[in-house]
């Protein structure tokens, strides 16, 4: 069966989606706060590499940038931000439209992003020091999560 990565046009598709999402969150009055202190100049490329790996593509993130611990650590210790998460998911849904993705792929990618935002990245909102070392990027397929994220 084709991976989500392949169905979304591989790395080119991941870059387009990451760019569309990033543009939308920077324009959002709530989500943009997460980027108000600056962000890595290669944020879009890094995000695309992360999604590529999570969605069945190459180890584009772990081969260059880090592991799941690295990503979760960046998103931890900021307290709960449910409204920001909700709006980030809405921006992702609009980005899916922006790049022309349709169902069933669109629905599966929505489910992935909603899970990643509200579960995977939200586990250690209290403290960055709670984030365990050596976590692997969770993989997602047409059937949902393929391996449990370490806690």
């Amino acid at each position: 069966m084709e991976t989500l990565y392949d169905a979304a046009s591989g790395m080119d598709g991941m870059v387009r989606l990451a760019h569309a999402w990033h543009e939308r969150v920077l324009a959002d009055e709530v989500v943009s706060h997460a980027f108000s202190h600056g962000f890595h100049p290669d944020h879009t490329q890094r995000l695309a590499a992360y999604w590529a790996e999570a969605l069945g593509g190459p180890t584009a993130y772990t081969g260059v940038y880090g592991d799941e611990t690295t990503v979760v650590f960046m998103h931890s210790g900021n307290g709960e931000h449910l409204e920001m998460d909700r709006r980030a998911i809405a921006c992702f849904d609009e980005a899916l439209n922006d790049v022309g993705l349709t169902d069933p792929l669109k629905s599966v990618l929505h489910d992935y992003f909603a899970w990643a935002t509200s579960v995977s990245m939200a586990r250690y909102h209290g403290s960055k020091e709670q984030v365990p070392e050596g976590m692997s990027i969770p993989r997602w397929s047409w059937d949902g999560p393929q391996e449990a994220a370490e806690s």
Side-chain angles (χ1 to χ4, degrees), residues 50 61 66-78 115-116 119-125 127-132 135-138 149-151:
Y50 180 82
Y61 191 87
D67 60 8
E68 182 73 356
T69 297
T70 306
V71 178
V72 173
F73 188 84
M74 285 188 285
H75 292 89
S76 296
N78 299 310
W115 173 84
V119 177
S120 186
M121 297 298 151
R123 288 179 286 176
Y124 305 101
H125 59 82
S127 170
K128 289 179 179 287
E129 284 68 42
Q130 297 173 330
V131 179
M135 295 189 332
S136 299
I137 294 176
E150 295 85 342
S151 55

Side-chain angles (χ1 to χ4, degrees), residues 22-138:
H22 192 76
E23 290 295 313
R24 285 197 170 271
V25 297
L26 289 179
D28 185 277
E29 64 187 41
V30 174
V31 186
S32 62
H33 174 74
F35 298 94
S36 64
H37 302 305
F39 50 89
H40 196 283
D42 294 332
H43 179 261
T44 298
Q45 190 64 38
R46 288 170 176 244
L47 182 58
Y50 180 82
W51 287 345
E53 192 163 337
L55 300 173
T59 56
Y61 191 87
T62 56
V64 177
Y65 304 114
D67 60 8
E68 182 73 356
T69 297
T70 306
V71 178
V72 173
F73 188 84
M74 285 188 285
H75 292 89
S76 296
N78 299 310
E80 288 186 304
H81 38 74
L82 300 176
E83 177 64 10
M84 183 182 291
D85 291 348
R86 186 191 67 73
R87 291 174 73 130
I89 294 165
C91 287
F92 186 78
D93 290 342
E94 291 300 320
L96 291 168
N97 292 331
D98 293 344
V99 299
L101 295 180
T102 58
D103 282 327
L105 178 60
K106 184 176 157 182
S107 293
V108 174
L109 292 180
H110 162 86
D111 291 347
Y112 160 72
F113 189 82
W115 173 84
T117 301
S118 61
V119 177
S120 186
M121 297 298 151
R123 288 179 286 176
Y124 305 101
H125 59 82
S127 170
K128 289 179 179 287
E129 284 68 42
Q130 297 173 330
V131 179
E133 292 293 326
M135 295 189 332
S136 299
I137 294 176

